[in-house]
Amino acid sequence: MRDTILAIVIVINALCGVLVWFMPDLGNYILLTIASAFTFLGIYDAFLQKKHSLLRAFPIIARLRWFFEEEREKIQQYFIEDDLNGTPINREKRSIVYQRAKKEIETIPFGTQHDLYEKGYEFVKHSIFPTDHHNVMGEEVVFGSDKCTQKYKSSIINISAMSFGSLSKNAIMALNQGAKMGNFAHNTGEGGVSPYHLQGGDLIFQVGTGYFGAGKTIDGKRYFDDEIFRENAIRPEVKMIEIKLSQGAKPGHGGILPAKKNTEEISKIRSVEPFTRVDSPPSHSAFSNFEEMISFLQKVRQLSNGKPIGIKFCVGNNEEIEEMITSFAKAGNYPDFIAVDGGEGGTGSAPLEFTNYVGTPLLEGLSFVHKTLVKHKLKDQIKIIASGKAIDAFDIIKLKAMGADAIGMARSFMLSLGCIQARECNLDTCPVGVATQDEDLVEALVVADKNVRVKNYHAKTIAAVKEVVSSMGKKSIDEVTSKDIFRRNKAGDISSLEEIYFN
């Protein structure tokens, strides 16, 4: 095949040369130049380069492999996948976000595409006497235990943790401005509070194991620092503090900021070397057992002047979680909220093994945490935030029914900004300017347009939640329980989530 390909390009090159000899005009010279370039490329691929055996066997043509591989995600999304089989978020789910963000028509024609008799199909049962959805209550929740002096009233839907660095400055500004317009909260992610977070929207200040915005580096190791933390924690925009123990996409690993995204500006905010890969430690240096954790949480609460303090983790070892909550009960001191992240959580960058095989899925983790808090009589004090690929109203209602008081959503709000699921978040090449630090790409994201879409998506999703809840004959979102959500099992029988997860 190599000889055939080379013979063809050489013959074409010779014919172009003959054409120029007899008809020496500009167009023919251009053809000869192109043909010569392909000839030299074929010779280089076949004989000079030693790296790729495929190119040596199939010069020039083998380069198409890299082109299609590069564009594979887009080709699959646009031409191959149907509305339901795309991953990690299918087209049907992505479309509802786009439609609500843009206030476009969001109804669908000709009936459902879902197989209602397939194993795993979930649904709610409606009432003959639905309530008026305009009067459905329960779209807000108050955070703050009896240990907290600055309680915070929040929407039940908030923007989950995404750092400046992982996301662009324009994306962060649009999210925060949208949160301000819609009166809901925006989690900073572990990258700390940047100037782009300070657009007037309420903030949940996340403190990860790298202590960015809350600590400093000593002999190459990150340590929590009271004064640095307090400077950010007492900001009026910061309404709650979240101590991240782990996250669903890479539990037990620590965050990753690729070197390409670690610009001069971001490195200054995080107090690290620019243009180097930044790996957060897998665990905290400020505490190493549950007693020390409780003391640290209390210190953080005091340093923030009594704001709600929470912890975030993906459920791993159930015995450890049980021991932790038991320690809270025995000490009579506890966080104000627990954010439960599911193993299906998203991230801009994570090792394949951690993304695919480490961490408990959200429903199992959420139900376990809820049951354990109830068992130790702490559920009235500790609110639960659930996060893990929630997109539409049914997702919200299901998680609320499973014990969540609020839902954190990340990828869905990225989609509201215009994310097309190109899955290039770790390459700094996001084509829509959401997950990149490339200035040209960032400029493509117009904050004044996208902030409204963030607000619209939140408002329309809350409205959709109320409509579904009203169809169930309930007056408040808080009335929905796991007895109201049903799932078809392998045998074709239907069981409530109460029977599956709580019996």
Side-chain angles (χ1 to χ4, degrees), residues 192-325:
V193 181
S194 74
Y196 310 110
H197 286 99
L198 303 175
Q199 305 293 309
D202 291 349
L203 291 177
I204 301 171
F205 175 27
Q206 186 183 89
V207 178
T209 56
Y211 302 121
F212 305 122
K216 57 188 176 183
T217 303
I218 301 176
D219 296 329
K221 189 174 181 179
R222 298 290 296 176
Y223 292 93
F224 183 84
D225 183 273
D226 292 9
E227 291 306 314
I228 295 174
F229 167 76
R230 180 174 169 78
E231 183 179 347
N232 281 316
I234 63 173
R235 291 179 185 272
E237 298 91 348
V238 172
K239 304 300 182 183
M240 301 202 296
I241 316 295
E242 180 179 270
I243 309 301
K244 187 179 86 168
L245 307 181
S246 65
Q247 68 183 97
K250 42 180 179 272
H253 187 278
I256 301 172
L257 179 66
K260 280 187 176 181
K261 288 187 170 185
N262 184 21
T263 64
E264 292 276 2
E265 182 181 31
I266 292 164
S267 67
K268 287 179 181 178
I269 293 171
R270 300 194 181 201
S271 298
V272 295
E273 287 294 318
F275 305 110
T276 60
R277 170 170 152 153
V278 179
D279 291 336
S280 299
S283 60
H284 282 263
S285 61
F287 52 88
S288 58
N289 56 54
F290 296 128
E291 288 72 25
E292 291 177 357
M293 178 195 292
I294 294 169
S295 298
F296 179 74
L297 293 175
Q298 184 58 31
K299 178 171 80 168
V300 167
R301 183 180 280 127
Q302 292 169 348
L303 288 171
S304 66
N305 294 338
K307 293 179 180 179
I309 307 300
I311 55 175
K312 173 183 178 177
F313 56 79
C314 176
V315 172
N317 187 316
N318 284 9
E319 287 73 20
E320 280 186 338
I321 304 301
E322 174 101 39
E323 183 183 352
M324 178 181 67
I325 294 175

Side-chain angles (χ1 to χ4, degrees), residues 158-164 172 175-176 179 184-192 197 202-207 240-244 312 337 339 385 408-409:
N158 299 295
I159 301 171
S160 196
M162 294 180 285
S163 303
F164 171 53
I172 293 293
L175 288 171
N176 195 259
F184 54 100
H186 177 196
N187 192 308
T188 65
E190 69 170 311
H197 286 99
D202 291 349
L203 291 177
I204 301 171
F205 175 27
Q206 186 183 89
V207 178
M240 301 202 296
I241 316 295
E242 180 179 270
I243 309 301
K244 187 179 86 168
K312 173 183 178 177
F337 67 91
I385 301 174
M409 298 158 67

Side-chain angles (χ1 to χ4, degrees), residues 413-471:
F413 277 107
M414 288 176 67
L415 290 167
S416 75
L417 289 172
C419 167
I420 60 171
Q421 195 170 273
R423 300 186 68 200
E424 298 177 11
C425 315
N426 59 328
L427 303 177
D428 201 37
T429 56
C430 172
V432 292
V434 175
T436 178
Q437 301 306 317
D438 183 293
E439 285 297 332
D440 291 335
L441 294 171
V442 172
E443 286 182 11
L445 195 158
V446 180
V447 176
D449 175 52
K450 304 302 184 183
N451 56 12
V452 177
R453 295 188 184 186
V454 171
K455 186 259 298 184
N456 289 344
Y457 168 63
H458 177 271
K460 297 279 279 184
T461 302
I462 289 287
V465 169
K466 289 185 175 184
E467 288 185 344
V468 175
V469 169
S470 72
S471 75

